[in-house]
Amino acid sequence: MKHPKNEFPFAILMDNNHFKFLSRPTKMTTSLSFATLPLAVAAFVAGALVPLQGGSNAALGRALGHPLWASVASLTVSLLVVLPVLLATRANAPLIGDALQRPLWTWLGGLAGVIYITLALILTPRLGATTFIVCVVAGQTLASLLIDHYGLMGLAQRLATPGRIAGVALIFAGMIVVQWQTPAPRVPVATGDAAAAQPEPQH
């Protein structure tokens, strides 16, 4: 069965925590909407917080003596923050039985989070915040393009059009330029008590 241009053969709706697959084609819109602008701004702010996460976790890892302890501390803080929000919003009890019946890939979020947090606190001091985040964005964009194109992980299918592929290619080009133009790191100059604590050079 052929479907008209700019349409895909199925859509996925979630109702009462269940996925429904619809056979009726759903038209794909490509125009920008001012209604989604606040959502885009929120996503922008969330993205701006990512370098802060990497830098703070790196410092925490040095203070705790090992990067993995920083990962544990970061995830613990996340848990302590989200629990009061759950109580304040009076969220329903989790449907553990339904969750256990889902495919194994539905549990990959926690594993991916641990891997990302640990690599971020290790690589951010070595690469710098800009280079690390540009590489992260390039990887995220490529993976997202493939997920959209094939409609993976329960998401609606959005084909990888030439324009979208060109956009991803530009991101990879930006990653190469940032890496190429990144200067050597400058060692911070010790001042005050830190300078006084340094040993005198021996002659």
Side-chain angles (χ1 to χ4, degrees):
M1 178 179 179
K2 294 184 178 180
H3 296 279
K5 187 178 180 180
N6 292 334
E7 295 185 355
F8 54 89
F10 64 90
I12 303 176
L13 297 178
M14 188 170 68
D15 182 26
N16 295 329
N17 297 323
H18 291 84
F19 289 98
K20 293 183 179 180
F21 294 84
L22 306 180
S23 59
R24 182 179 179 181
T26 302
K27 188 175 182 179
M28 296 175 61
T29 58
T30 57
S31 60
L32 294 176
S33 173
F34 287 104
T36 61
L37 183 58
L39 301 179
V41 172
F44 178 84
V45 173
L49 295 176
V50 174
L52 302 180
Q53 181 191 39
S56 63
N57 283 342
L60 185 60
R62 290 192 297 269
L64 294 175
H66 197 281
L68 290 179
W69 282 121
S71 298
V72 173
S74 179
L75 294 172
T76 302
V77 171
S78 299
L79 180 62
L80 294 177
V81 170
V82 76
L83 284 178
V85 176
L86 284 173
L87 296 176
T89 56
R90 297 181 179 180
N92 296 330
L95 303 176
I96 303 298
D98 288 352
L100 293 176
Q101 295 177 3
R102 298 292 178 180
L104 290 178
W105 58 259
T106 58
W107 297 91
L108 290 178
L111 176 61
V114 171
I115 293 175
Y116 172 78
I117 291 174
T118 304
L119 288 179
L121 63 91
I122 293 175
L123 297 179
T124 299
R126 300 183 181 184
L127 297 176
T130 302
T131 300
F132 173 74
I133 291 301
V134 169
C135 294
V136 168
V137 171
Q140 289 176 334
T141 308
L142 178 60
S144 300
L145 183 70
L146 295 175
I147 291 173
D148 273 353
H149 182 73
Y150 293 104
L152 303 177
M153 308 184 79
L155 298 179
Q157 185 181 18
R158 293 176 173 84
L159 299 180
T161 61
R164 303 186 83 192
I165 295 175
V168 173
L170 288 175
I171 292 176
F172 271 85
M175 178 185 68
I176 295 173
V177 171
V178 168
Q179 178 65 28
W180 181 37
Q181 293 294 327
T182 298
R186 298 175 59 183
V187 179
V189 178
T191 58
D193 296 338
Q198 292 182 353
E200 293 291 336
Q202 297 181 358
H203 299 285

